[in-house]
Structure formats: structure tokens, C-alpha cells
Amino acid sequence: MRLVLGFGARSTATADDVEALLPPRDGTVIALSTVDTRADLARRVADRHGWQVVTHPAGALADVAVPNPSAAVAAHAGTPSVAEAAALLTAAASGGPAVLVTAKRASDVATVAVAALAPPVTVVGIGADGAGSLSPAGRAAIAAGTVVFGSARQLDLVGGVTTAERVAWPSPLVPSLPRLLAAHHAARVVVLASGDPMYHGIGGTLVRLLGAGHVHVVPHPSSVSLACARLGWPLDDVEVVSAVGRCVDALRRVLHDGRRILVLSAGAGTPPQVAEILRETGFGASDVTVLESLGGPDERVHHDVTAAGPLNVVAVACRGTGGLPVVPGLDDGAYTSDGQLTKREIRAVTLAALGPRPGELLWDVGAGSGSIAVEWLRAHRSCRAVAVERDPVRAERVALNARALGVPHLSTVLGAAPDALDGLAPPDAVFIGGGFTAAGVFERCWSALRPGGRLVVNAVTVESERLVADLHAVHGGTLTRLAVQRAAPVGGFLAWRPMMPVTQWVVWR
């Protein structure tokens, strides 16, 4: 492989600090790359090895998509990544696309990453019936490849179509993709995918990694299409949940009486898990159908969740009285809490102020029970959130609430802000629920916020209200006083019991 080494470093770093991070290399280094403010240090390191030096301005590096951006690096260097971005940008200049062979390695003063060219890729969808269902385009693509990637089962299915080298996917797959592609950068690479590669498949992963211009897709009917055809369900009226590489608890989010759901199974263990979730959530009366090996010679459709084969889709026709509202403001009783919970009425107003949009990232700082992050994620399946909580018991409770309410992909960071925010991707919105008065918390959140982003603070104490007033005078935004009273029994009568008033500050970047 022809490798590019990228590095970032503090002003106090030495050439030895960078050398100490250089990983073992399986290939030839063609360049050492960094931000232009570290050009002198780059030359000192490169001179030891005879490497070429390539530098880039911070603005150019900021435009490179990387897997490990850092708000702290962005604040100091003007770009959320130096090492990974520099390696990828320089490698791509040789005729891209480029992939990270080694992701960012870090010390206290430096970071290093390794990138290399990746080949264009053709992704071919294949069904359970194997080569017999391939389209002429799919068959021709496989025959033209010099290396074919796929699962062992898929590779066996195309044995009569290709004489190319066949490489079975390692496990875990996604972290191994960059190195595999870089190692075959001169090959004609074909990737086999089950069904439609762009529907919960490897095709989407490759496009995110390489860009759409370098991935050619030859689709096949998806298991979802085949399942709907067998069941007589209109595809546009079906909710799909994938348990492949994901937690099946995501099913909980979409359970509502009368809904039709397809669960893409991770194996024979998924149907029993689905049945258990239905029982727990009040949907035990639902009709459950297991559809196995769709399109293959051993296709089977039945209702015994304990007798499912490894290749299956689970269909659920929901029947039950459970299910949660789709709008913010779930009942407080939906959460397990020690009292650190944004109450229902305040939570609904807070989510409205945060304004979740599809695909956006939230930082929930001082998450408590995680209710704000959970309901942000429930707003749309593509929303993302990180809950930051310093108490380990509460952090575990956040994760439990997320799974119970159908958003198990909530990321939880254990630690106190602002230090716990280091290395997190820049957010589109920030909610500061706890620890607002701690030194540096607001400043770190504000500097990390993307342009157009929103920051919301709910202040309850006199001290936090004082800080909100001071910051509002500098940054503007809106201030709202929220006071809620709930009726509660007093003897044989009802009386109003006020909750603690909340001063809400909303400010836009």
C-alpha cells in the first residue's frame, strides 16, 4: 500500500512525540501531512525518513469528513480534525477516494493517523437463491471483478460465476473495511450484499466511506420487498426496524395498535426477543410471522418464533393497548429516576425550544435520567444524541431508560463537563440540565455548537439564574419563566401544588 501519515500536535510537541505515535506500517509512506502551522515540525520528522511533506490550511481540513472529530481541537486549531483530515486529504489528491487505514492515535501532545487510496467498488445484491436470481448486470459485474468480498455463504453462491479471489468478511466488519479496501486499491473490487445493498445494507456503509461517485450498485429485491409481497402488506405502510448490528429494543419506539412492522433479524435469536418485547409492552396479542430464506429454495413462512432459521424477517401486526405518544412530553412515570428528571410539562417546552430535526446531534449535558436526550431521539429515527453524566449510577439509568423507550442507540458519556466533552462531534443543539454553573461548561458548549445551532438552559437555582442573566446580556437569546402547578389531594379536596419555577434561556449560534 502507498500510505500517507497525518499528524496534529500542540505547539509544545517535539519530533520524538510524533515518532512515538507512528503505528506499524504495511506499505510505503509517500507523504507526511499536517496543518500548515505545523510545517516546521513535519519537516523535522520527515527528514529522519526521507518522506515528502504536504501541509494544508485549517479551513481545508475542516471540510474533510472524519470519524473522530473533536470540539477541543476545533477550538484550538480551527478544524475539528488535523491528523485524520490531513491524511485523507493528501491521500485523495493521488486519485482518491481515500480511507483511514489507522484511525487517530493520540497522546497528550500529538495525534497520528494513516490513510491510503481505496478502489472504486461495485456492490451486487444477491438473494437467498444465489446466482440463479442475478440480473445480467449483476452477473457481468461479478465476472469482471478481480477480488470479491462477501460472507462465506454468499461467496459459495457465486462460485460458478467468478474465478476471482474471494475474500470472506472478517468480524467486526466495519472497522476492517478501510484496510481491506486499501490493500486492494489496484483491484476491480466487487462486494456481495444480501438483497438491496442500499436498504440497511453494506452499500450505504460504502457510500459513506468512499462517496457515491466511487460506488456502483446493482440492486436486488430486498427482504422487506419480498416479505411485503408474501404478506400482502403495502410497503409504504410498513415500519422497518433493523436488528442487524443494532439493539432490537428499537422496536419499542414504533409499537402502536394497528401498525405493521418488519424486523430485520440478526439471526435465529431475534424472533424470540421480538416476542418477549411484545409481551413486556402490552402487545402480546400481536400476530407474529417469521419469514425465512425469502426467495430461496428452502423458503418457509410460519408463526413459531422458537423454530426460526438464521436468515429470517419477523413481521408484527400490532395488537395491544400499549404504545407511547410520538410527541415530546412523555409521562414522568415512563422513566426510572431518582428525582433528577425534567418534568413532563417543562420537558415538552424544552424539546420545542431545542427543535430536533432529522439527522441532528444533541448534547444533553448533566443528563440526570436522560429524558431530554431520549425524547430528542424519539422525534426522528435519524436523530443522534450524547448524554453526558458524571454520576455512574445515573449514567447507567440513562442507558436503561433509552432501551426501555426504544432508543438504545443513545450514546452515554460518563464524566463531568467540560472535560467529558473532549472528542465529541460538534452538536447541532445543546441542553445543559446539570452542572451549568461549573467553570467552562457554557464556554465549551458554545464554542462547539455548529452555526445555526441552539443552546437551551433550564435554570432553577438563584446562582444559575444569575449566570443566565449575565450570559443573556452578552449573547442575547430569549428568556422565559415557566411555572407549573399540578392538582393534588388535600384531605378530601384538591389543591394546586406548584413545582419549582424554571427560567429557560434559549440562544442561537
PDB file of all heavy atoms in Angstrom, residues 26 28 59 82 91 116 124 135 140 160-161 168 179 188 204 219 244 289 305 331 343 350 382 386 438 458 463 480-481:
ATOM      1  N   ASP A  26       2.238  -1.321   7.002  1.00  0.00           N
ATOM      2  CA  ASP A  26       2.276  -2.370   5.993  1.00  0.00           C
ATOM      3  C   ASP A  26       2.168  -1.710   4.628  1.00  0.00           C
ATOM      4  O   ASP A  26       1.126  -1.724   3.980  1.00  0.00           O
ATOM      5  CB  ASP A  26       1.128  -3.352   6.227  1.00  0.00           C
ATOM      6  CG  ASP A  26       1.134  -4.480   5.210  1.00  0.00           C
ATOM      7  OD1 ASP A  26       2.175  -4.681   4.567  1.00  0.00           O
ATOM      8  OD2 ASP A  26       0.088  -5.139   5.057  1.00  0.00           O
ATOM      9  N   THR A  28       4.288   1.485   1.821  1.00  0.00           N
ATOM     10  CA  THR A  28       5.288   2.528   1.599  1.00  0.00           C
ATOM     11  C   THR A  28       4.698   3.894   1.901  1.00  0.00           C
ATOM     12  O   THR A  28       3.646   4.262   1.362  1.00  0.00           O
ATOM     13  CB  THR A  28       5.770   2.511   0.136  1.00  0.00           C
ATOM     14  OG1 THR A  28       6.302   1.222  -0.155  1.00  0.00           O
ATOM     15  CG2 THR A  28       6.819   3.576  -0.101  1.00  0.00           C
ATOM     16  N   GLY A  59      -8.749  25.652   7.217  1.00  0.00           N
ATOM     17  CA  GLY A  59     -10.050  25.691   6.553  1.00  0.00           C
ATOM     18  C   GLY A  59     -10.272  24.521   5.627  1.00  0.00           C
ATOM     19  O   GLY A  59     -11.387  23.989   5.535  1.00  0.00           O
ATOM     20  N   VAL A  82      -7.138  17.252  12.609  1.00  0.00           N
ATOM     21  CA  VAL A  82      -5.892  17.550  11.886  1.00  0.00           C
ATOM     22  C   VAL A  82      -5.313  16.253  11.331  1.00  0.00           C
ATOM     23  O   VAL A  82      -5.161  16.089  10.124  1.00  0.00           O
ATOM     24  CB  VAL A  82      -4.869  18.267  12.787  1.00  0.00           C
ATOM     25  CG1 VAL A  82      -3.544  18.448  12.032  1.00  0.00           C
ATOM     26  CG2 VAL A  82      -5.402  19.624  13.217  1.00  0.00           C
ATOM     27  N   ALA A  91      -3.978  11.838   0.747  1.00  0.00           N
ATOM     28  CA  ALA A  91      -4.103  10.561   0.030  1.00  0.00           C
ATOM     29  C   ALA A  91      -5.062  10.695  -1.145  1.00  0.00           C
ATOM     30  O   ALA A  91      -4.818  10.159  -2.234  1.00  0.00           O
ATOM     31  CB  ALA A  91      -4.567   9.464   0.976  1.00  0.00           C
ATOM     32  N   ALA A 116      -4.860   5.772   3.000  1.00  0.00           N
ATOM     33  CA  ALA A 116      -4.395   5.225   1.728  1.00  0.00           C
ATOM     34  C   ALA A 116      -5.529   5.296   0.722  1.00  0.00           C
ATOM     35  O   ALA A 116      -6.696   5.496   1.093  1.00  0.00           O
ATOM     36  CB  ALA A 116      -3.927   3.778   1.892  1.00  0.00           C
ATOM     37  N   VAL A 124     -23.045  -5.727  -5.540  1.00  0.00           N
ATOM     38  CA  VAL A 124     -24.053  -6.525  -6.237  1.00  0.00           C
ATOM     39  C   VAL A 124     -24.967  -7.188  -5.212  1.00  0.00           C
ATOM     40  O   VAL A 124     -24.515  -7.929  -4.335  1.00  0.00           O
ATOM     41  CB  VAL A 124     -23.397  -7.606  -7.123  1.00  0.00           C
ATOM     42  CG1 VAL A 124     -24.464  -8.455  -7.805  1.00  0.00           C
ATOM     43  CG2 VAL A 124     -22.485  -6.954  -8.159  1.00  0.00           C
ATOM     44  N   SER A 135     -29.261 -10.559 -11.925  1.00  0.00           N
ATOM     45  CA  SER A 135     -29.572  -9.917 -13.199  1.00  0.00           C
ATOM     46  C   SER A 135     -28.359 -10.049 -14.114  1.00  0.00           C
ATOM     47  O   SER A 135     -27.237 -10.329 -13.649  1.00  0.00           O
ATOM     48  CB  SER A 135     -29.890  -8.442 -12.982  1.00  0.00           C
ATOM     49  OG  SER A 135     -28.730  -7.753 -12.527  1.00  0.00           O
ATOM     50  N   ALA A 140     -22.531  -9.972 -14.776  1.00  0.00           N
ATOM     51  CA  ALA A 140     -21.393  -9.421 -15.508  1.00  0.00           C
ATOM     52  C   ALA A 140     -20.427  -8.716 -14.565  1.00  0.00           C
ATOM     53  O   ALA A 140     -19.196  -8.802 -14.726  1.00  0.00           O
ATOM     54  CB  ALA A 140     -21.879  -8.454 -16.592  1.00  0.00           C
ATOM     55  N   GLY A 160     -19.632 -20.429  -9.208  1.00  0.00           N
ATOM     56  CA  GLY A 160     -19.641 -20.764 -10.625  1.00  0.00           C
ATOM     57  C   GLY A 160     -19.664 -19.557 -11.536  1.00  0.00           C
ATOM     58  O   GLY A 160     -19.646 -19.705 -12.771  1.00  0.00           O
ATOM     59  N   VAL A 161     -19.701 -18.349 -10.966  1.00  0.00           N
ATOM     60  CA  VAL A 161     -19.796 -17.123 -11.774  1.00  0.00           C
ATOM     61  C   VAL A 161     -18.454 -16.443 -11.934  1.00  0.00           C
ATOM     62  O   VAL A 161     -18.218 -15.739 -12.922  1.00  0.00           O
ATOM     63  CB  VAL A 161     -20.818 -16.152 -11.130  1.00  0.00           C
ATOM     64  CG1 VAL A 161     -20.945 -14.873 -11.949  1.00  0.00           C
ATOM     65  CG2 VAL A 161     -22.169 -16.829 -10.979  1.00  0.00           C
ATOM     66  N   ALA A 168     -13.640 -13.573   2.423  1.00  0.00           N
ATOM     67  CA  ALA A 168     -14.746 -13.536   3.376  1.00  0.00           C
ATOM     68  C   ALA A 168     -14.570 -12.378   4.347  1.00  0.00           C
ATOM     69  O   ALA A 168     -13.437 -12.064   4.763  1.00  0.00           O
ATOM     70  CB  ALA A 168     -14.834 -14.855   4.146  1.00  0.00           C
ATOM     71  N   ARG A 179      -8.908  -0.883   5.758  1.00  0.00           N
ATOM     72  CA  ARG A 179      -7.671  -1.620   5.485  1.00  0.00           C
ATOM     73  C   ARG A 179      -7.867  -2.618   4.343  1.00  0.00           C
ATOM     74  O   ARG A 179      -6.990  -2.766   3.475  1.00  0.00           O
ATOM     75  CB  ARG A 179      -7.191  -2.335   6.748  1.00  0.00           C
ATOM     76  CG  ARG A 179      -5.935  -3.188   6.537  1.00  0.00           C
ATOM     77  CD  ARG A 179      -5.371  -3.686   7.832  1.00  0.00           C
ATOM     78  NE  ARG A 179      -4.762  -2.608   8.575  1.00  0.00           N
ATOM     79  CZ  ARG A 179      -3.526  -2.153   8.362  1.00  0.00           C
ATOM     80  NH1 ARG A 179      -2.778  -2.692   7.391  1.00  0.00           N
ATOM     81  NH2 ARG A 179      -3.035  -1.183   9.071  1.00  0.00           N
ATOM     82  N   ARG A 188     -10.125  -4.716  -9.196  1.00  0.00           N
ATOM     83  CA  ARG A 188     -11.525  -4.453  -9.540  1.00  0.00           C
ATOM     84  C   ARG A 188     -12.363  -5.147  -8.469  1.00  0.00           C
ATOM     85  O   ARG A 188     -12.552  -6.371  -8.493  1.00  0.00           O
ATOM     86  CB  ARG A 188     -11.859  -4.973 -10.938  1.00  0.00           C
ATOM     87  CG  ARG A 188     -11.119  -4.246 -12.051  1.00  0.00           C
ATOM     88  CD  ARG A 188     -11.682  -4.601 -13.430  1.00  0.00           C
ATOM     89  NE  ARG A 188     -11.567  -6.022 -13.738  1.00  0.00           N
ATOM     90  CZ  ARG A 188     -10.492  -6.594 -14.260  1.00  0.00           C
ATOM     91  NH1 ARG A 188      -9.412  -5.856 -14.532  1.00  0.00           N
ATOM     92  NH2 ARG A 188     -10.465  -7.892 -14.512  1.00  0.00           N
ATOM     93  N   GLY A 204     -24.815   1.322   1.711  1.00  0.00           N
ATOM     94  CA  GLY A 204     -24.840   2.612   2.393  1.00  0.00           C
ATOM     95  C   GLY A 204     -23.555   2.866   3.161  1.00  0.00           C
ATOM     96  O   GLY A 204     -23.039   3.991   3.184  1.00  0.00           O
ATOM     97  N   PRO A 219     -28.707  -3.463  -7.705  1.00  0.00           N
ATOM     98  CA  PRO A 219     -29.612  -3.901  -6.630  1.00  0.00           C
ATOM     99  C   PRO A 219     -30.314  -5.216  -6.929  1.00  0.00           C
ATOM    100  O   PRO A 219     -30.290  -5.732  -8.043  1.00  0.00           O
ATOM    101  CB  PRO A 219     -30.615  -2.753  -6.540  1.00  0.00           C
ATOM    102  CG  PRO A 219     -30.653  -2.188  -7.917  1.00  0.00           C
ATOM    103  CD  PRO A 219     -29.253  -2.337  -8.477  1.00  0.00           C
ATOM    104  N   VAL A 244     -29.904  -5.943  12.824  1.00  0.00           N
ATOM    105  CA  VAL A 244     -28.595  -6.382  12.320  1.00  0.00           C
ATOM    106  C   VAL A 244     -27.539  -5.391  12.787  1.00  0.00           C
ATOM    107  O   VAL A 244     -27.499  -4.239  12.343  1.00  0.00           O
ATOM    108  CB  VAL A 244     -28.599  -6.475  10.792  1.00  0.00           C
ATOM    109  CG1 VAL A 244     -27.245  -6.960  10.295  1.00  0.00           C
ATOM    110  CG2 VAL A 244     -29.711  -7.409  10.317  1.00  0.00           C
ATOM    111  N   THR A 289     -45.280 -13.249  12.499  1.00  0.00           N
ATOM    112  CA  THR A 289     -44.974 -14.175  11.413  1.00  0.00           C
ATOM    113  C   THR A 289     -43.478 -14.177  11.161  1.00  0.00           C
ATOM    114  O   THR A 289     -42.856 -13.107  11.093  1.00  0.00           O
ATOM    115  CB  THR A 289     -45.698 -13.777  10.116  1.00  0.00           C
ATOM    116  OG1 THR A 289     -47.100 -13.676  10.371  1.00  0.00           O
ATOM    117  CG2 THR A 289     -45.450 -14.794   9.011  1.00  0.00           C
ATOM    118  N   VAL A 305     -41.826 -18.664  16.772  1.00  0.00           N
ATOM    119  CA  VAL A 305     -40.625 -17.838  16.957  1.00  0.00           C
ATOM    120  C   VAL A 305     -39.474 -18.644  17.541  1.00  0.00           C
ATOM    121  O   VAL A 305     -38.308 -18.215  17.464  1.00  0.00           O
ATOM    122  CB  VAL A 305     -40.918 -16.624  17.864  1.00  0.00           C
ATOM    123  CG1 VAL A 305     -41.941 -15.703  17.216  1.00  0.00           C
ATOM    124  CG2 VAL A 305     -41.370 -17.064  19.256  1.00  0.00           C
ATOM    125  N   ASP A 331     -45.142  10.806  29.930  1.00  0.00           N
ATOM    126  CA  ASP A 331     -45.466  10.802  31.354  1.00  0.00           C
ATOM    127  C   ASP A 331     -44.201  10.560  32.171  1.00  0.00           C
ATOM    128  O   ASP A 331     -43.346   9.750  31.795  1.00  0.00           O
ATOM    129  CB  ASP A 331     -46.498   9.716  31.642  1.00  0.00           C
ATOM    130  CG  ASP A 331     -47.041   9.815  33.055  1.00  0.00           C
ATOM    131  OD1 ASP A 331     -46.406   9.218  33.955  1.00  0.00           O
ATOM    132  OD2 ASP A 331     -48.057  10.469  33.246  1.00  0.00           O
ATOM    133  N   LYS A 343     -39.348  17.532  34.409  1.00  0.00           N
ATOM    134  CA  LYS A 343     -40.741  17.112  34.478  1.00  0.00           C
ATOM    135  C   LYS A 343     -41.454  17.306  33.138  1.00  0.00           C
ATOM    136  O   LYS A 343     -41.053  18.096  32.305  1.00  0.00           O
ATOM    137  CB  LYS A 343     -41.469  17.882  35.582  1.00  0.00           C
ATOM    138  CG  LYS A 343     -40.888  17.635  36.976  1.00  0.00           C
ATOM    139  CD  LYS A 343     -40.909  16.161  37.342  1.00  0.00           C
ATOM    140  CE  LYS A 343     -40.493  15.925  38.795  1.00  0.00           C
ATOM    141  NZ  LYS A 343     -39.048  16.139  38.992  1.00  0.00           N
ATOM    142  N   THR A 350     -39.106  22.358  26.576  1.00  0.00           N
ATOM    143  CA  THR A 350     -37.668  22.311  26.292  1.00  0.00           C
ATOM    144  C   THR A 350     -37.391  21.665  24.943  1.00  0.00           C
ATOM    145  O   THR A 350     -36.564  22.169  24.162  1.00  0.00           O
ATOM    146  CB  THR A 350     -36.940  21.543  27.410  1.00  0.00           C
ATOM    147  OG1 THR A 350     -37.171  22.201  28.659  1.00  0.00           O
ATOM    148  CG2 THR A 350     -35.444  21.471  27.129  1.00  0.00           C
ATOM    149  N   SER A 382     -33.476   9.224  12.674  1.00  0.00           N
ATOM    150  CA  SER A 382     -32.114   9.585  12.286  1.00  0.00           C
ATOM    151  C   SER A 382     -31.465  10.572  13.249  1.00  0.00           C
ATOM    152  O   SER A 382     -30.287  10.908  13.078  1.00  0.00           O
ATOM    153  CB  SER A 382     -32.099  10.175  10.871  1.00  0.00           C
ATOM    154  OG  SER A 382     -32.743  11.433  10.834  1.00  0.00           O
ATOM    155  N   VAL A 386     -25.938  12.529  22.524  1.00  0.00           N
ATOM    156  CA  VAL A 386     -24.954  12.093  23.510  1.00  0.00           C
ATOM    157  C   VAL A 386     -25.403  12.623  24.865  1.00  0.00           C
ATOM    158  O   VAL A 386     -25.637  13.833  25.020  1.00  0.00           O
ATOM    159  CB  VAL A 386     -23.548  12.638  23.184  1.00  0.00           C
ATOM    160  CG1 VAL A 386     -22.555  12.207  24.262  1.00  0.00           C
ATOM    161  CG2 VAL A 386     -23.087  12.171  21.819  1.00  0.00           C
ATOM    162  N   ALA A 438     -20.707  25.227  36.634  1.00  0.00           N
ATOM    163  CA  ALA A 438     -19.313  24.793  36.699  1.00  0.00           C
ATOM    164  C   ALA A 438     -18.474  25.581  35.703  1.00  0.00           C
ATOM    165  O   ALA A 438     -18.918  25.900  34.589  1.00  0.00           O
ATOM    166  CB  ALA A 438     -19.202  23.301  36.421  1.00  0.00           C
ATOM    167  N   ASN A 458     -32.045  25.356  31.374  1.00  0.00           N
ATOM    168  CA  ASN A 458     -33.138  25.472  32.338  1.00  0.00           C
ATOM    169  C   ASN A 458     -32.538  25.767  33.704  1.00  0.00           C
ATOM    170  O   ASN A 458     -31.889  24.900  34.305  1.00  0.00           O
ATOM    171  CB  ASN A 458     -33.962  24.182  32.395  1.00  0.00           C
ATOM    172  CG  ASN A 458     -34.837  23.993  31.175  1.00  0.00           C
ATOM    173  OD1 ASN A 458     -34.974  24.905  30.351  1.00  0.00           O
ATOM    174  ND2 ASN A 458     -35.441  22.821  31.052  1.00  0.00           N
ATOM    175  N   GLU A 463     -28.318  30.937  41.797  1.00  0.00           N
ATOM    176  CA  GLU A 463     -26.989  31.065  41.191  1.00  0.00           C
ATOM    177  C   GLU A 463     -27.032  30.828  39.680  1.00  0.00           C
ATOM    178  O   GLU A 463     -26.389  31.548  38.900  1.00  0.00           O
ATOM    179  CB  GLU A 463     -26.024  30.076  41.843  1.00  0.00           C
ATOM    180  CG  GLU A 463     -25.666  30.406  43.290  1.00  0.00           C
ATOM    181  CD  GLU A 463     -26.774  30.026  44.273  1.00  0.00           C
ATOM    182  OE1 GLU A 463     -27.757  29.359  43.855  1.00  0.00           O
ATOM    183  OE2 GLU A 463     -26.663  30.398  45.447  1.00  0.00           O
ATOM    184  N   THR A 480     -37.529  32.898  29.251  1.00  0.00           N
ATOM    185  CA  THR A 480     -38.914  32.557  29.526  1.00  0.00           C
ATOM    186  C   THR A 480     -39.003  31.990  30.937  1.00  0.00           C
ATOM    187  O   THR A 480     -38.182  31.133  31.315  1.00  0.00           O
ATOM    188  CB  THR A 480     -39.449  31.513  28.528  1.00  0.00           C
ATOM    189  OG1 THR A 480     -39.267  31.993  27.196  1.00  0.00           O
ATOM    190  CG2 THR A 480     -40.926  31.232  28.769  1.00  0.00           C
ATOM    191  N   ARG A 481     -39.975  32.440  31.709  1.00  0.00           N
ATOM    192  CA  ARG A 481     -40.184  31.886  33.058  1.00  0.00           C
ATOM    193  C   ARG A 481     -41.333  30.885  32.983  1.00  0.00           C
ATOM    194  O   ARG A 481     -42.444  31.222  32.561  1.00  0.00           O
ATOM    195  CB  ARG A 481     -40.528  32.999  34.046  1.00  0.00           C
ATOM    196  CG  ARG A 481     -40.382  32.570  35.529  1.00  0.00           C
ATOM    197  CD  ARG A 481     -38.932  32.533  35.919  1.00  0.00           C
ATOM    198  NE  ARG A 481     -38.698  32.028  37.245  1.00  0.00           N
ATOM    199  CZ  ARG A 481     -38.798  32.750  38.364  1.00  0.00           C
ATOM    200  NH1 ARG A 481     -39.197  34.005  38.294  1.00  0.00           N
ATOM    201  NH2 ARG A 481     -38.496  32.209  39.529  1.00  0.00           N
TER     202      ARG A 481
END
